[in-house]
Amino acid sequence: MVENTANRPLRVVAVSGSLHAPSKTSVLVSAILDEIAEHQDISRHIIELSDIGPEFAGALTREQVPASVEDELRRIENADLLIVASPVYRGSFTGLFKHLFDFVGQYALIDKPVLLAATGGGERHALMLEHQFRPLFGFFQALTLPIGVYASNTDFAEYTLTSDAVKSRVRLAVLRGLPFVHNRDRERDEISAYVGAW
């Protein structure tokens, strides 16, 4: 039976692929979460790879990850909306970010809305969203939302997001993305009702 989502907060799970704390990537993730919360009642959870990375870095199979990481994997798989973000490292997301998603069930993210975000040293890395992130989540058959968010080092003052352009991009990404999330919820509820009628 598919859960009806109408009467509970939207479960939003964010994954920050940064290997360091504090992190500009995590600051960007928080800005996206705050913007979503302006428009929607949400339950938020942030997974920081800088925190949990040492717990699963040496695991070769999901059965080898500790219970704490298994809990995080289940949160990813059960989220209503995923936010995934990584600093650009050698032209792609961090290896530990990919390693975490190697443990996610192959069919667990089908049609799940995913908002893509990244940070990097300069604007030349912005296409990582299109050339690295979208293919990865295309493999999972997830629904990557139309607009991603990229921020470079110059968009921050220390660990504060200061760029009005990036803030506007965050708002646009959320406003354009939430209708896809709501449509998916309605479709799931309709399927649930249809199946229940049988």
Side-chain angles (χ1 to χ4, degrees):
M1 183 92 169
V2 178
E3 179 184 5
N4 188 304
T5 60
N7 298 317
R8 63 164 173 78
L10 193 73
R11 289 183 303 233
V12 184
V13 175
V15 181
S16 173
S18 178
L19 307 183
H20 307 284
S23 159
K24 294 180 177 72
T25 303
S26 296
V27 169
L28 181 59
V29 163
S30 293
I32 295 169
L33 284 166
D34 289 345
E35 182 64 34
I36 295 171
E38 288 288 322
H39 307 278
Q40 173 82 45
D41 185 19
I42 67 170
S43 168
R44 67 172 76 189
H45 180 75
I46 302 177
I47 300 170
E48 299 274 5
L49 292 196
S50 59
D51 291 336
I52 70 166
E55 299 179 41
F56 72 88
L60 300 180
T61 66
R62 183 158 174 168
E63 290 71 26
Q64 294 176 347
V65 304
S68 58
V69 175
E70 176 63 29
D71 288 345
E72 302 290 38
L73 291 168
R74 291 187 183 278
R75 286 189 178 98
I76 289 169
E77 294 170 344
N78 293 321
D80 298 314
L81 169 63
L82 276 180
I83 301 168
V84 296
S86 175
V88 179
Y89 183 73
R90 299 193 178 183
S92 186
F93 32 72
T94 59
L96 206 55
F97 177 94
K98 175 59 165 58
H99 192 46
L100 179 68
F101 277 88
D102 284 343
F103 298 132
V104 171
Q106 182 174 346
Y107 304 109
L109 304 185
I110 291 177
D111 293 334
K112 190 179 300 294
V114 181
L115 196 158
L116 310 175
T119 57
E123 297 301 324
R124 66 189 181 280
H125 295 302
L127 285 176
M128 193 272 273
L129 294 174
E130 307 301 324
H131 294 297
Q132 304 295 329
F133 264 136
R134 287 198 196 274
L136 174 61
F137 289 96
F139 164 81
F140 284 110
Q141 302 176 59
L143 175 65
T144 54
L145 297 179
I147 297 178
V149 182
Y150 177 83
S152 63
N153 285 344
T154 57
D155 295 319
F156 298 86
E158 294 296 325
Y159 292 98
T160 300
L161 181 62
T162 56
S163 168
D164 289 336
V166 174
K167 292 177 184 178
S168 295
R169 181 77 173 183
V170 167
R171 181 174 175 80
L172 183 61
V174 169
L175 290 177
R176 288 283 306 279
L178 281 177
F180 289 91
V181 179
H182 297 151
N183 287 340
R184 178 180 183 266
D185 286 345
R186 282 193 293 270
E187 289 170 0
R188 288 193 309 181
D189 292 343
E190 289 171 4
I191 291 170
S192 177
Y194 178 78
V195 172
W198 284 83

